[in-house]
Amino acid sequence: MIRKPLTIASLAVLTTCLGTMIVRAQDAGTYTTEEAGQAFKGRPYSPYAGRNFPARPLFGDTHLHTALSFDAGAAGARLGPRDAYRFAKGEEVVSSTGQPAKLSRPLDFLVVADHSDNMGWFTDFMAGKPEILRNAQAREWYDMIQSGRAGEAAWAIVVTFSQGKFPPDIIYQPGNPAYRSVWQSIISAAEEANDPGRFTAFIGYEWTSLSKGNNLHRNVIFRDGGEKAGLIEPYTTQPPIGSNNPRDLWKWLKNYEDKTGGDVLAIAHNGNLSNGTMFPIIESFTGKEIDRDYAEQRARWEVLYETTQMKGDGESHPFLSPNDEFANFETWDKGNLDLSAKKTPDMLEFEYTRSALKNGLKLEAKLGTNPYKFGLVGSTDSHTSLATADDDNFFGKISTAEPSPERWSHPFMTNPKLGLKIMGWETTASGYAAVWAQENTRASIFDAMKRRETYATTGPRMVVRFFGGFDFDDADANTRSPAIAGYTKGVPMGGDLGPAPKGKAPTFLVAALKDPISANLDRYQVVKGWLDSTGEAHEQVYDVAWSGDRKAGADGKLPPVGDTVDVANASWTNTIGAPELIAAWTDPDFDPAQRAFYYGRVLEIPTPRWTAYDAKYYGLKMGPEVTMKMQERAYTSPIWYTPAK
């Protein structure tokens, strides 16, 4: 069935051939050989005439907290949603610690995703409302903040909530007048900031599921404006009207759409603090294997996954991908959200993007639906109202970790009883969501998210294309407009490839252009996962385009690009690497009978990490354990291959 272009279930018009428009449906599209023969026929002289596909990515943050989140407020955040939107639009603001802050460039969109649980509580708490402070625990937290121990108070509040011990008599739930008032203020701030065509302010919130400290948060994003989002109040995790179970959140999402006629989706939080519960095969809530209903509901509502953010990167882990020399990147693998339980190696498989995609293939073969068929985004999860993901402009995870000479050496999270500690220097300046939308509007960006035409970056705003088909060749890579071939001969990131024509293997058109104010590019890799004939999952990382004249060694690995970082001066030079990479690549190990997925990973040359910028600015000498440089990267949404039945 074909719907109007750029609706939830359709793909943008791919090209115009003498007035005849070809439209593909089903998410980001499914390649058919019938359409391949129509590519390029009768195109006008101007390659841009009639163009009706996304021409540039839009960059934003789908996960930002303000002072309205009770943990952010307790940690010192004093900026609200309106401040967050001003900052995202490129205005200079004064941070909660009194420091001027401004982005290098405005963002294109923002989701203020304050916690749904206890919405409105912190405002009343800090106002010293007697009905809150008569609770002994609340009074203790209040006194800690007043005495300058905000960080300690914030951590105590987080631990108490995550362990299900938050005082029930002071919990703010939907129906509470203060709760309703704050939700309406969040909606009003988004409506005021929304400027179609220039800046998109989404209405949203974070559903804060914590089961014994294991992080199962989801960010809920509405396509709609306040006229529909204002008809409801957010879903929470506290019984009797809330729940920690994602199945109940999915029911709430359906009820919202049924009640309002609106559209909504949920983005799962980076899973590396879930202690093996984010991507289950066996549900932690029931102890049973996930069933078809779970698979269908998760695939329906959670079309995107937050693969990188300030609390570490979630693409893969060296334990899971020992042959991937780039898997050990900003890993957080010590424990769960509040460090109440240690991480064990068996948990990792159910926390990381690549292993989830592989298990998704297994579950699809068994259940008929892939619950982990998601696209990728990055976002900050900043609790400061400041969406900063640039290493030279990093304002920290929480307000107590805004720029200062001490923030690198101050523990961010700690549990002395278990000997667990995450230091301030281990937080990551990451990331952003990149969306291939035709217009900078709620509808267009949301629809692109639904069809998974997105990618994640750890901060830099490189332009990344990833198309799959069966007919790409070198000539398609020898062009300034690879998207024309990409959309007419294949499908973009987030799409599907059906059964391979006889004698053909999937081909991929890959392209990346550096961020103009960031580093050159090292390489473009394609990551493949597949099921063999016995149902076992495998993975392989292929270098498909790279800078310079490097050649793979006997082990098949491409030599490192080099390193120009001057740590002492927090600088580097673009004398290595390439400004752009483009290639057409064919899977050399393709088996048409095997389910598979492919996604792109683009690496920059090494650059200074935020810790190096801090050391330079404050004249610090940091310990040898501190990471001082890194290779920033982008991850595209996958393209899936499904064989004939």
Side-chain angles (χ1 to χ4, degrees):
M1 180 176 66
I2 295 178
R3 300 181 182 177
K4 64 181 181 179
L6 286 175
T7 57
I8 292 175
S10 71
L11 180 64
V13 177
L14 303 181
T15 190
T16 301
C17 302
L18 294 179
T20 301
M21 296 186 294
I22 305 170
V23 182
R24 293 205 189 102
Q26 190 178 338
D27 299 322
T30 302
Y31 178 90
T32 64
T33 55
E34 290 78 9
E35 289 179 355
Q38 301 181 50
F40 303 111
K41 280 188 177 180
R43 283 198 298 110
Y45 177 85
S46 172
Y48 314 111
R51 180 176 63 190
N52 198 13
F53 55 76
R56 69 180 182 92
L58 301 176
F59 291 92
D61 188 350
T62 62
H63 189 179
L64 181 72
H65 294 270
T66 76
L68 297 180
S69 288
F70 65 100
D71 54 347
R78 297 296 178 264
L79 303 184
R82 286 175 173 81
D83 301 302
Y85 289 125
R86 287 176 49 228
F87 182 77
K89 287 183 172 184
E91 291 186 40
E92 183 173 309
V93 304
V94 177
S95 79
S96 297
T97 56
Q99 303 183 63
K102 186 176 183 178
L103 287 172
S104 62
R105 294 153 288 176
L107 294 177
D108 297 303
F109 64 91
L110 177 66
V111 183
V112 169
D114 280 310
H115 294 301
S116 61
D117 283 277
N118 272 333
M119 189 171 281
W121 178 86
F122 182 75
T123 303
D124 286 355
F125 169 70
M126 285 303 293
K129 289 289 183 72
E131 57 268 32
I132 295 178
L133 295 189
R134 71 169 57 104
N135 179 279
Q137 179 67 83
R139 168 58 75 174
E140 181 182 351
W141 294 333
Y142 182 83
D143 291 343
M144 291 167 67
I145 293 173
Q146 297 304 315
S147 64
R149 298 155 59 201
E152 185 179 345
W155 181 239
I157 290 172
V158 168
V159 171
T160 302
F161 179 82
S162 67
Q163 292 299 314
K165 297 178 180 179
F166 200 92
D169 58 310
I170 59 171
I171 288 177
Y172 276 30
Q173 288 272 46
N176 178 301
Y179 189 107
R180 178 70 179 176
S181 175
V182 170
W183 175 237
Q184 289 298 327
S185 74
I186 289 171
I187 291 174
S188 295
E191 296 287 66
E192 291 171 13
N194 194 50
D195 187 5
R198 297 182 181 180
F199 180 84
T200 294
F202 282 102
I203 299 169
Y205 67 86
E206 183 172 17
W207 176 72
T208 320
S209 173
L210 285 165
S211 180
K212 298 179 180 178
N214 297 335
N215 187 328
L216 292 176
H217 299 183
R218 267 76 167 174
N219 291 304
V220 175
I221 302 174
F222 298 88
R223 187 179 190 263
D224 315 302
E227 75 285 351
K228 292 183 179 179
L231 296 175
I232 53 83
E233 294 178 31
Y235 192 59
T236 65
T237 66
Q238 302 301 304
I241 60 175
S243 168
N244 271 336
N245 193 327
R247 285 183 185 257
D248 294 322
L249 173 67
W250 303 332
K251 292 177 184 176
W252 184 94
L253 298 174
K254 183 178 187 304
N255 288 338
Y256 167 79
E257 291 196 345
D258 290 345
K259 177 179 179 178
T260 68
D263 292 294
V264 65
L265 59 80
I267 302 177
H269 184 294
N270 186 2
N272 59 353
L273 298 179
S274 72
N275 270 15
T277 59
M278 180 55 79
F279 299 113
I281 290 179
I282 298 176
E283 284 188 81
S284 59
F285 292 93
T286 65
K288 299 179 181 179
E289 291 188 2
I290 68 171
D291 56 20
R292 185 182 179 92
D293 179 71
Y294 179 101
E296 291 177 345
Q297 294 304 313
R298 184 154 185 168
R300 163 69 178 85
W301 298 108
E302 299 186 16
V303 294
L304 296 178
Y305 174 57
E306 180 186 274
T307 193
T308 186
Q309 61 133 287
M310 288 187 181
K311 294 196 290 286
D313 193 80
E315 187 226 356
S316 196
H317 187 281
F319 177 81
L320 303 169
S321 304
N323 296 321
D324 181 357
E325 67 267 40
F326 297 105
N328 190 20
F329 177 72
E330 300 288 324
T331 52
W332 278 38
D333 55 6
K334 298 178 182 179
N336 56 359
L337 179 71
D338 59 2
L339 295 186
S340 60
K342 286 186 176 181
K343 187 86 66 190
T344 55
D346 59 293
M347 298 175 179
L348 298 173
E349 177 184 349
F350 309 104
E351 297 187 349
Y352 283 84
T353 301
R354 196 182 305 173
S355 55
L357 292 170
K358 291 194 294 184
N359 281 335
L361 297 180
K362 291 182 179 180
L363 291 166
E364 183 180 33
K366 177 181 179 181
L367 301 174
T369 299
N370 183 345
Y372 307 134
K373 193 171 184 178
F374 49 72
L376 300 181
V377 294
S379 284
T380 64
D381 194 11
S382 169
H383 281 53
T384 64
S385 293
L386 307 176
T388 59
D390 296 321
D391 283 83
D392 65 350
N393 193 30
F394 182 49
F395 268 69
K397 165 73 174 177
I398 56 178
S399 292
T400 53
E402 290 185 6
S404 75
E406 299 81 24
R407 66 170 174 169
W408 74 276
S409 59
H410 184 77
F412 178 74
M413 300 162 60
T414 183
N415 184 340
K417 293 181 180 179
L418 296 179
L420 298 177
K421 183 184 293 185
I422 296 176
M423 299 300 296
W425 67 263
E426 294 181 85
T427 55
T428 304
S430 184
Y432 286 136
V435 179
W436 284 103
Q438 271 193 294
E439 300 173 332
N440 192 344
T441 63
R442 285 172 175 166
S444 188
I445 296 173
F446 186 95
D447 293 348
M449 290 178 176
K450 286 285 283 190
R451 65 177 185 265
R452 303 182 296 256
E453 200 170 349
T454 64
Y455 61 96
T457 90
T458 56
R461 304 186 200 182
M462 62 274 278
V463 177
V464 181
R465 290 286 199 182
F466 185 59
F467 295 99
F470 294 100
D471 296 294
F472 293 120
D473 54 36
D474 290 341
D476 296 321
N478 188 24
T479 173
R480 302 311 306 162
S481 300
I484 294 176
Y487 283 107
T488 55
K489 298 174 70 174
V491 294
M493 58 186 77
D496 292 277
L497 295 178
K502 186 176 181 179
K504 290 192 174 184
T507 60
F508 296 88
L509 181 58
V510 306
L513 184 67
K514 74 179 291 290
D515 180 331
I517 65 171
S518 189
N520 280 343
L521 305 177
D522 168 12
R523 66 188 74 190
Y524 196 129
Q525 300 177 307
V526 172
V527 180
K528 177 186 178 183
W530 73 95
L531 294 186
D532 66 20
S533 59
T534 68
E536 290 300 309
H538 304 270
E539 65 177 63
Q540 179 70 41
V541 180
Y542 300 89
D543 293 308
V544 302
W546 56 87
S547 63
D549 56 0
R550 292 173 286 167
K551 293 184 175 18
D555 60 356
K557 300 289 187 181
L558 194 67
V561 66
D563 189 342
T564 67
V565 176
D566 180 348
V567 172
N569 290 301
S571 64
W572 84 97
T573 63
N574 271 329
T575 53
I576 59 174
E580 65 178 27
L581 300 171
I582 186 168
W585 175 79
T586 302
D587 180 0
D589 305 305
F590 177 65
D591 184 330
Q594 295 175 344
R595 298 175 187 271
F597 65 80
Y598 305 81
Y599 67 87
R601 181 171 69 182
V602 180
L603 300 175
E604 283 189 346
I605 65 172
T607 52
R609 194 172 179 268
W610 72 264
T611 43
Y613 288 103
D614 269 28
K616 168 68 174 175
Y617 185 85
Y618 292 110
L620 304 172
K621 182 173 177 58
M622 299 182 181
E625 75 280 5
V626 179
T627 304
M628 303 297 280
K629 51 190 175 181
M630 66 194 309
Q631 282 191 264
E632 304 268 21
R633 54 200 64 194
Y635 311 116
T636 77
S637 293
I639 291 173
W640 288 266
Y641 169 77
T642 303
K645 294 182 180 179

